[in-house]
Amino acid sequence: MAELSDPVIFGILLTLLIALLASGLWVALSLMIMAFVAIVAFSNAPAGLVLATTLWGHSHSWPLAALPLFILMGEILLRSRLSEDMFSGLAPWLTRMPGRLLHVNVLGCAIFAAVSGSSAATAATIGRMSVPELKERGYPEDLILGTLAGSATLGFLIPPSIILIVYGVATEQSIARLFIAGILPGAMLVCLFGGYVMLRAWMSPASIPKEDDTMSFREKLVASRRLLPVMLLIIGVIGTIYTGVASPTDAAAVGVVLATVLAVMTGSFGRKEFTAALMSATRTSCMIALILFGAGFLAIAMGFTGIPRNLATWIGTFDLSPGALLAVLTVFFVLLGCFLDGISVVVLTTSIILPIVQAVGIDPLWFGIFLVLVVEMSQITPPVGFNLFVIQGLTGIDILRVAKAALPFFLLLMLGLLLITVFPGIVTMLPNAMGN
């Protein structure tokens, strides 16, 4: 077995992984089995000792503690009256904009993304509130579904992002700097999505129903008071990280306390809802942590086999420019995202891809945002676009119709990807301003 070439070894291990995943085995266990086979069959390292030390090393990671806390914060707000408050606070200001209340989907998703960190939770919460309301008012179905599907992907990018924590832990990058790096690209996508809605409204003004705009400026300000607690929560969490007052883990703990207080103040959150939020956050956190443990073991196992190093050297022989490599990786990640969820895509690929990316001089921090944008695209790509499934479950509409409505927003995400590639300062400017 030791005489086998690296491509053959990689092919054997990849076939094993595909077979394990196809059998329905958990992603984390599939990764661990593949890593165990790699060490036993293709290296001389003690597999049991490597497994034990890897799991221990990952399990007491302090940055990883932010993960369950941010998930719990999102679950608490998911069960409060936050979505109704956002609609009531945003709607009065949008009645004169081209596209009118369709912007509630875009801005509502952006706001909720900044307090949940989850794409699926963002789609579920905002969709539950906006879809029935917008349908009743007569807005076009394709724009209702498209703005929701596209804008919900912001949950992966706008901090605090669960997938950025996963990437930071897997690649040993600063989670605080990754969070701040996601702010400007997130704002850019909000502008692109809003601009598309305006363009559609200008092209077909008859398709957008008229809205009552009799509220005075004072009445609009009064209605916006409902947004104030949420905005304070966002500023409290992100502001403490940016200024260096708190680490992401500390800020997550503060966020959980503030979210609980906010939810209780709405009058719709009690012991029953808190227990449900705690159990749901525990299940999600355990799933992600187990996947991270499996990915960590796989990364160490791949290091013992020498495949990532040799693969990076082999790709280097093609003399690909950074742009060409990114184009190839974009296609690869989108295809992979058609069959796996975003977190699995990140943990499956980083140990192999990152050495290649660094070898051509690409900043790992910038690449993290690039990767999240590509994963966002895969969230609205059939057959396993998780946002599409969430929206189908909410509306009962056929998933192909939802995917068709989301297509323009897939293209806008691709445009966003092109913009951060041509102008990398969109990603790096704020982290560089933070210093160390």
Side-chain angles (χ1 to χ4, degrees):
M1 295 290 280
E3 296 178 358
L4 294 175
S5 64
D6 283 339
V8 174
I9 295 173
F10 185 70
I12 292 171
L13 295 175
L14 185 61
T15 303
L16 173 63
L17 179 62
I18 292 171
L20 291 170
L21 292 172
S23 70
L25 193 64
W26 291 355
V27 171
L29 294 181
S30 300
L31 293 176
M32 288 184 187
I33 291 172
M34 177 186 174
F36 198 84
V37 170
I39 290 181
V40 171
F42 305 113
S43 81
N44 297 318
L49 183 60
V50 172
L51 174 61
T53 54
T54 302
L55 294 185
W56 171 251
H58 281 69
S59 63
H60 74 278
S61 165
W62 177 243
L64 189 60
L67 181 70
L69 290 171
F70 277 126
I71 292 173
L72 178 58
M73 187 176 78
E75 291 288 343
I76 290 170
L77 294 174
L78 179 64
R79 288 163 173 78
S80 70
R81 240 187 24 231
L82 174 71
S83 56
E84 291 90 343
D85 287 351
M86 280 199 294
F87 194 95
S88 303
L90 288 172
W93 299 97
L94 302 174
T95 51
R96 291 190 178 182
M97 287 182 67
R100 298 188 177 91
L101 296 188
L102 286 168
H103 293 283
V104 170
N105 268 354
V106 179
L107 295 177
C109 285
I111 292 171
F112 194 79
V115 290
S116 81
S118 165
S119 176
T122 301
T125 305
I126 302 302
R128 194 179 297 132
M129 169 269 299
S130 68
V131 171
E133 186 74 25
L134 294 176
K135 275 189 172 183
E136 186 179 336
R137 293 172 184 251
Y139 284 86
E141 181 187 84
D142 66 323
L143 281 176
I144 296 173
L145 299 177
T147 51
L148 179 61
S151 303
T153 62
L154 295 170
F156 274 162
L157 183 60
I158 296 178
S161 162
I162 303 303
I163 205 164
L164 282 177
I165 297 175
V166 171
Y167 177 83
V169 171
T171 61
E172 299 183 354
Q173 294 295 308
S174 165
I175 293 173
R177 291 172 68 82
L178 283 168
F179 276 4
I180 301 307
I183 293 177
L184 288 183
M188 175 191 70
L189 289 177
V190 169
C191 293
L192 288 176
F193 294 160
Y196 174 74
V197 171
M198 291 183 189
L199 182 63
R200 285 286 302 270
W202 281 324
M203 290 173 60
S204 179
S207 65
I208 307 297
K210 295 189 180 299
E211 295 288 345
D212 179 27
D213 189 31
T214 57
M215 292 181 71
S216 67
F217 182 76
R218 180 182 175 83
E219 288 172 328
K220 290 180 180 180
L221 284 177
V222 171
S224 297
R225 287 187 304 178
R226 295 187 175 191
L227 287 174
L228 190 59
V230 183
M231 300 310 296
L232 288 175
L233 177 61
I234 295 170
I235 294 168
V237 172
I238 304 304
T240 53
I241 295 173
Y242 183 79
T243 56
V245 173
S247 70
T249 306
D250 299 330
V254 172
V256 169
V257 174
L258 292 177
T260 305
V261 172
L262 171 63
V264 171
M265 287 173 59
T266 64
S268 60
F269 191 81
R271 182 176 177 179
K272 180 182 176 183
E273 288 76 18
F274 182 76
T275 303
L278 197 59
M279 292 304 297
S280 180
T282 301
R283 284 192 294 269
T284 305
S285 301
C286 289
M287 177 197 72
I288 296 174
L290 193 59
I291 291 175
L292 274 173
F293 295 161
F297 184 36
L298 178 62
I300 298 296
M302 289 293 101
F304 278 117
T305 63
I307 290 176
R309 181 180 63 254
N310 296 335
L311 185 62
T313 304
W314 177 65
I315 290 179
T317 62
F318 290 100
D319 200 24
L320 289 176
S321 67
L325 177 62
L326 290 173
V328 171
L329 290 178
T330 300
V331 175
F332 170 70
F333 284 128
V334 170
L335 290 175
L336 200 59
C338 289
F339 304 99
L340 292 172
D341 65 278
I343 290 172
S344 297
V345 169
V346 171
V347 297
L348 274 171
T349 57
T350 48
S351 61
I352 296 175
I353 297 297
L354 200 62
I356 300 170
V357 167
Q358 290 177 303
V360 298
I362 296 173
D363 181 2
L365 180 87
W366 180 90
F367 183 72
I369 302 301
F370 169 87
L371 179 56
V372 168
L373 269 173
V374 179
V375 169
E376 283 185 347
M377 291 162 61
S378 71
Q379 291 294 294
I380 52 177
T381 306
V384 190
F386 278 85
N387 282 10
L388 304 183
F389 282 124
V390 170
I391 295 169
Q392 182 192 35
L394 279 173
T395 62
I397 296 172
D398 179 76
I399 195 168
L400 292 179
R401 279 168 60 193
V402 180
K404 183 179 178 182
L407 179 61
F409 295 86
F410 176 90
L411 298 176
L412 288 171
L413 285 168
M414 192 170 286
L415 174 60
L417 202 65
L418 180 63
L419 287 173
I420 69 164
T421 304
V422 177
F423 306 106
I426 297 173
V427 174
T428 58
M429 185 171 70
L430 288 182
N432 289 342
M434 285 177 70
N436 293 320

